[in-house]
Amino acid sequence: MGLASGRQKQQVPGMGATAWAHPRLCRLILPVGVFLLLLCFSSLRLQHSLSACILGGRPCHWFGETPSNKEDKEKEMPPPASPPTNTTGAPLLPLSPADPQDQSNEFHIKHMQRAFTASLMPSGQILIWEYLSGWKELIKFMDSLGAAFGLISRETQTKIAIMQQHQNGPQGPHYHTLQSMVNFELAKGLVGFQSLPAGHLPSGCRTLLRLHRALKWLELFLHKLGTSEDRDPSQMCADAYREALAPYHSWWVRQVASLAFMALPSRQDLYHIICLEEERKARTILQATVHSIARVYNITHEVYAAHGMLDLP
């Protein structure tokens, strides 16, 4: 009896430990399970949806998308960019790094700086062609950051393709500068203040606004990268995103973007991608580039604000 009682007493602590371990294990498994479900859901459902709305171009539909919704989306999508007659005299901007017209797939920050600097005229006019040329280099930069940024890169190319269609269409001369485009679309009622008409190419004002918002995100990130000495690049990129783009995205997009930022290269790898030079020179070049981008961004922002177009749908 005494031996049996001893065995029972020895089993009680074991049973208590087991009973305590189960809730603890559940608390550990639950968030991991939720994260894996979110990741799986994201990979299956957001592959297309994220690329369609990451720059705020169209509403994000995450659940219960019906065939009619898909048909409406297809009507809203612009036709693929074809090589139309060039009425502006400007060459077509390569739409992807694989384009045979593009002589180099590598990112060169000095090329980007020159393009944005050239887009700002002494009179304060923003030349759209040079502005898009700067974005062409930014696309190469995003492509060099890894597959996580591929969706953003492809959506940016879609916006550039829309702007090219405007520039090379029958009204192309009106899309030479930002100011001439705004004046033309306002006068003709083409801006689309309330909604995007089905079956119509998105307005130039609406399309360039998406690039404008994303430009602020990249400007802030490059500024933080060039001025901070010890912060993690993924955290700096996430902070810049929350300040510039997150207010225009749904909760799901924000979560997926946060996961993408975690895959950013290290600080030294980023300096190598940006400048192929030592860190001190990289900081100097980054600061000069950010200054050029900021000047273009600020003037663009003033033009949109003056006409109440900062919140176009």
PDB file of all heavy atoms in Angstrom, residues 219-235:
ATOM      1  N   GLU A 219      11.842  57.288 -52.193  1.00  0.00           N
ATOM      2  CA  GLU A 219      12.650  58.431 -51.757  1.00  0.00           C
ATOM      3  C   GLU A 219      12.966  58.330 -50.260  1.00  0.00           C
ATOM      4  O   GLU A 219      14.119  58.522 -49.836  1.00  0.00           O
ATOM      5  CB  GLU A 219      11.894  59.736 -52.028  1.00  0.00           C
ATOM      6  CG  GLU A 219      12.598  60.974 -51.502  1.00  0.00           C
ATOM      7  CD  GLU A 219      11.654  62.138 -51.236  1.00  0.00           C
ATOM      8  OE1 GLU A 219      10.642  62.257 -51.947  1.00  0.00           O
ATOM      9  OE2 GLU A 219      11.929  62.918 -50.304  1.00  0.00           O
ATOM     10  N   LEU A 220      11.953  58.028 -49.455  1.00  0.00           N
ATOM     11  CA  LEU A 220      12.154  57.912 -48.014  1.00  0.00           C
ATOM     12  C   LEU A 220      13.103  56.768 -47.679  1.00  0.00           C
ATOM     13  O   LEU A 220      13.969  56.888 -46.804  1.00  0.00           O
ATOM     14  CB  LEU A 220      10.813  57.703 -47.319  1.00  0.00           C
ATOM     15  CG  LEU A 220       9.859  58.894 -47.296  1.00  0.00           C
ATOM     16  CD1 LEU A 220       8.510  58.480 -46.707  1.00  0.00           C
ATOM     17  CD2 LEU A 220      10.456  60.053 -46.514  1.00  0.00           C
ATOM     18  N   PHE A 221      12.950  55.652 -48.370  1.00  0.00           N
ATOM     19  CA  PHE A 221      13.814  54.501 -48.103  1.00  0.00           C
ATOM     20  C   PHE A 221      15.268  54.816 -48.443  1.00  0.00           C
ATOM     21  O   PHE A 221      16.183  54.532 -47.647  1.00  0.00           O
ATOM     22  CB  PHE A 221      13.331  53.295 -48.907  1.00  0.00           C
ATOM     23  CG  PHE A 221      14.249  52.104 -48.814  1.00  0.00           C
ATOM     24  CD1 PHE A 221      14.656  51.611 -47.584  1.00  0.00           C
ATOM     25  CD2 PHE A 221      14.710  51.482 -49.963  1.00  0.00           C
ATOM     26  CE1 PHE A 221      15.510  50.513 -47.496  1.00  0.00           C
ATOM     27  CE2 PHE A 221      15.565  50.395 -49.883  1.00  0.00           C
ATOM     28  CZ  PHE A 221      15.955  49.906 -48.653  1.00  0.00           C
ATOM     29  N   LEU A 222      15.516  55.418 -49.607  1.00  0.00           N
ATOM     30  CA  LEU A 222      16.885  55.758 -49.992  1.00  0.00           C
ATOM     31  C   LEU A 222      17.474  56.806 -49.056  1.00  0.00           C
ATOM     32  O   LEU A 222      18.673  56.778 -48.752  1.00  0.00           O
ATOM     33  CB  LEU A 222      16.912  56.256 -51.437  1.00  0.00           C
ATOM     34  CG  LEU A 222      16.563  55.210 -52.519  1.00  0.00           C
ATOM     35  CD1 LEU A 222      16.554  55.859 -53.895  1.00  0.00           C
ATOM     36  CD2 LEU A 222      17.538  54.036 -52.486  1.00  0.00           C
ATOM     37  N   HIS A 223      16.637  57.739 -48.592  1.00  0.00           N
ATOM     38  CA  HIS A 223      17.116  58.741 -47.632  1.00  0.00           C
ATOM     39  C   HIS A 223      17.547  58.079 -46.327  1.00  0.00           C
ATOM     40  O   HIS A 223      18.623  58.386 -45.785  1.00  0.00           O
ATOM     41  CB  HIS A 223      16.019  59.765 -47.366  1.00  0.00           C
ATOM     42  CG  HIS A 223      16.340  60.704 -46.241  1.00  0.00           C
ATOM     43  ND1 HIS A 223      17.293  61.709 -46.351  1.00  0.00           N
ATOM     44  CD2 HIS A 223      15.851  60.784 -44.966  1.00  0.00           C
ATOM     45  CE1 HIS A 223      17.368  62.359 -45.208  1.00  0.00           C
ATOM     46  NE2 HIS A 223      16.507  61.822 -44.350  1.00  0.00           N
ATOM     47  N   LYS A 224      16.718  57.172 -45.815  1.00  0.00           N
ATOM     48  CA  LYS A 224      17.060  56.479 -44.577  1.00  0.00           C
ATOM     49  C   LYS A 224      18.310  55.636 -44.761  1.00  0.00           C
ATOM     50  O   LYS A 224      19.178  55.580 -43.866  1.00  0.00           O
ATOM     51  CB  LYS A 224      15.886  55.594 -44.138  1.00  0.00           C
ATOM     52  CG  LYS A 224      14.626  56.362 -43.740  1.00  0.00           C
ATOM     53  CD  LYS A 224      13.480  55.405 -43.441  1.00  0.00           C
ATOM     54  CE  LYS A 224      12.175  56.148 -43.183  1.00  0.00           C
ATOM     55  NZ  LYS A 224      12.221  56.948 -41.949  1.00  0.00           N
ATOM     56  N   LEU A 225      18.438  55.003 -45.919  1.00  0.00           N
ATOM     57  CA  LEU A 225      19.604  54.159 -46.180  1.00  0.00           C
ATOM     58  C   LEU A 225      20.880  54.989 -46.247  1.00  0.00           C
ATOM     59  O   LEU A 225      21.949  54.537 -45.840  1.00  0.00           O
ATOM     60  CB  LEU A 225      19.401  53.391 -47.488  1.00  0.00           C
ATOM     61  CG  LEU A 225      20.454  52.341 -47.858  1.00  0.00           C
ATOM     62  CD1 LEU A 225      20.478  51.221 -46.814  1.00  0.00           C
ATOM     63  CD2 LEU A 225      20.171  51.768 -49.244  1.00  0.00           C
ATOM     64  N   GLY A 226      20.777  56.216 -46.745  1.00  0.00           N
ATOM     65  CA  GLY A 226      21.952  57.061 -46.899  1.00  0.00           C
ATOM     66  C   GLY A 226      22.340  57.837 -45.664  1.00  0.00           C
ATOM     67  O   GLY A 226      23.452  58.364 -45.591  1.00  0.00           O
ATOM     68  N   THR A 227      21.447  57.919 -44.681  1.00  0.00           N
ATOM     69  CA  THR A 227      21.738  58.719 -43.489  1.00  0.00           C
ATOM     70  C   THR A 227      21.869  57.894 -42.221  1.00  0.00           C
ATOM     71  O   THR A 227      22.461  58.349 -41.246  1.00  0.00           O
ATOM     72  CB  THR A 227      20.640  59.779 -43.279  1.00  0.00           C
ATOM     73  OG1 THR A 227      19.356  59.128 -43.199  1.00  0.00           O
ATOM     74  CG2 THR A 227      20.620  60.778 -44.432  1.00  0.00           C
ATOM     75  N   SER A 228      21.309  56.687 -42.206  1.00  0.00           N
ATOM     76  CA  SER A 228      21.387  55.845 -41.013  1.00  0.00           C
ATOM     77  C   SER A 228      22.601  54.935 -41.101  1.00  0.00           C
ATOM     78  O   SER A 228      22.942  54.427 -42.175  1.00  0.00           O
ATOM     79  CB  SER A 228      20.115  55.001 -40.878  1.00  0.00           C
ATOM     80  OG  SER A 228      20.216  54.113 -39.790  1.00  0.00           O
ATOM     81  N   GLU A 229      23.255  54.727 -39.978  1.00  0.00           N
ATOM     82  CA  GLU A 229      24.477  53.938 -39.961  1.00  0.00           C
ATOM     83  C   GLU A 229      24.298  52.518 -39.440  1.00  0.00           C
ATOM     84  O   GLU A 229      25.111  51.650 -39.728  1.00  0.00           O
ATOM     85  CB  GLU A 229      25.549  54.644 -39.113  1.00  0.00           C
ATOM     86  CG  GLU A 229      25.980  55.994 -39.674  1.00  0.00           C
ATOM     87  CD  GLU A 229      27.083  56.627 -38.846  1.00  0.00           C
ATOM     88  OE1 GLU A 229      27.432  56.023 -37.800  1.00  0.00           O
ATOM     89  OE2 GLU A 229      27.567  57.701 -39.226  1.00  0.00           O
ATOM     90  N   ASP A 230      23.270  52.275 -38.659  1.00  0.00           N
ATOM     91  CA  ASP A 230      23.175  50.968 -38.026  1.00  0.00           C
ATOM     92  C   ASP A 230      21.789  50.324 -38.110  1.00  0.00           C
ATOM     93  O   ASP A 230      21.618  49.196 -37.681  1.00  0.00           O
ATOM     94  CB  ASP A 230      23.575  51.064 -36.550  1.00  0.00           C
ATOM     95  CG  ASP A 230      22.775  52.132 -35.810  1.00  0.00           C
ATOM     96  OD1 ASP A 230      21.906  52.769 -36.426  1.00  0.00           O
ATOM     97  OD2 ASP A 230      23.043  52.310 -34.601  1.00  0.00           O
ATOM     98  N   ARG A 231      20.804  51.009 -38.674  1.00  0.00           N
ATOM     99  CA  ARG A 231      19.463  50.431 -38.730  1.00  0.00           C
ATOM    100  C   ARG A 231      19.375  49.347 -39.791  1.00  0.00           C
ATOM    101  O   ARG A 231      20.057  49.382 -40.818  1.00  0.00           O
ATOM    102  CB  ARG A 231      18.417  51.509 -39.000  1.00  0.00           C
ATOM    103  CG  ARG A 231      18.241  52.514 -37.878  1.00  0.00           C
ATOM    104  CD  ARG A 231      16.994  53.324 -38.093  1.00  0.00           C
ATOM    105  NE  ARG A 231      15.789  52.490 -38.054  1.00  0.00           N
ATOM    106  CZ  ARG A 231      14.616  52.868 -38.543  1.00  0.00           C
ATOM    107  NH1 ARG A 231      14.481  54.042 -39.119  1.00  0.00           N
ATOM    108  NH2 ARG A 231      13.578  52.061 -38.463  1.00  0.00           N
ATOM    109  N   ASP A 232      18.494  48.397 -39.556  1.00  0.00           N
ATOM    110  CA  ASP A 232      18.291  47.298 -40.493  1.00  0.00           C
ATOM    111  C   ASP A 232      17.535  47.799 -41.725  1.00  0.00           C
ATOM    112  O   ASP A 232      16.505  48.464 -41.587  1.00  0.00           O
ATOM    113  CB  ASP A 232      17.498  46.193 -39.799  1.00  0.00           C
ATOM    114  CG  ASP A 232      17.248  45.015 -40.718  1.00  0.00           C
ATOM    115  OD1 ASP A 232      18.204  44.524 -41.337  1.00  0.00           O
ATOM    116  OD2 ASP A 232      16.082  44.602 -40.828  1.00  0.00           O
ATOM    117  N   PRO A 233      18.014  47.503 -42.950  1.00  0.00           N
ATOM    118  CA  PRO A 233      17.333  47.994 -44.164  1.00  0.00           C
ATOM    119  C   PRO A 233      15.877  47.572 -44.252  1.00  0.00           C
ATOM    120  O   PRO A 233      15.036  48.336 -44.720  1.00  0.00           O
ATOM    121  CB  PRO A 233      18.165  47.388 -45.291  1.00  0.00           C
ATOM    122  CG  PRO A 233      19.520  47.193 -44.708  1.00  0.00           C
ATOM    123  CD  PRO A 233      19.273  46.820 -43.269  1.00  0.00           C
ATOM    124  N   SER A 234      15.557  46.343 -43.831  1.00  0.00           N
ATOM    125  CA  SER A 234      14.170  45.894 -43.909  1.00  0.00           C
ATOM    126  C   SER A 234      13.261  46.751 -43.029  1.00  0.00           C
ATOM    127  O   SER A 234      12.133  47.066 -43.411  1.00  0.00           O
ATOM    128  CB  SER A 234      14.069  44.419 -43.494  1.00  0.00           C
ATOM    129  OG  SER A 234      14.499  44.245 -42.153  1.00  0.00           O
ATOM    130  N   GLN A 235      13.756  47.167 -41.867  1.00  0.00           N
ATOM    131  CA  GLN A 235      12.969  48.018 -40.987  1.00  0.00           C
ATOM    132  C   GLN A 235      12.817  49.417 -41.574  1.00  0.00           C
ATOM    133  O   GLN A 235      11.742  50.028 -41.496  1.00  0.00           O
ATOM    134  CB  GLN A 235      13.624  48.106 -39.607  1.00  0.00           C
ATOM    135  CG  GLN A 235      12.802  48.866 -38.588  1.00  0.00           C
ATOM    136  CD  GLN A 235      11.443  48.251 -38.354  1.00  0.00           C
ATOM    137  OE1 GLN A 235      11.345  47.043 -38.111  1.00  0.00           O
ATOM    138  NE2 GLN A 235      10.377  49.047 -38.442  1.00  0.00           N
TER     139      GLN A 235
END
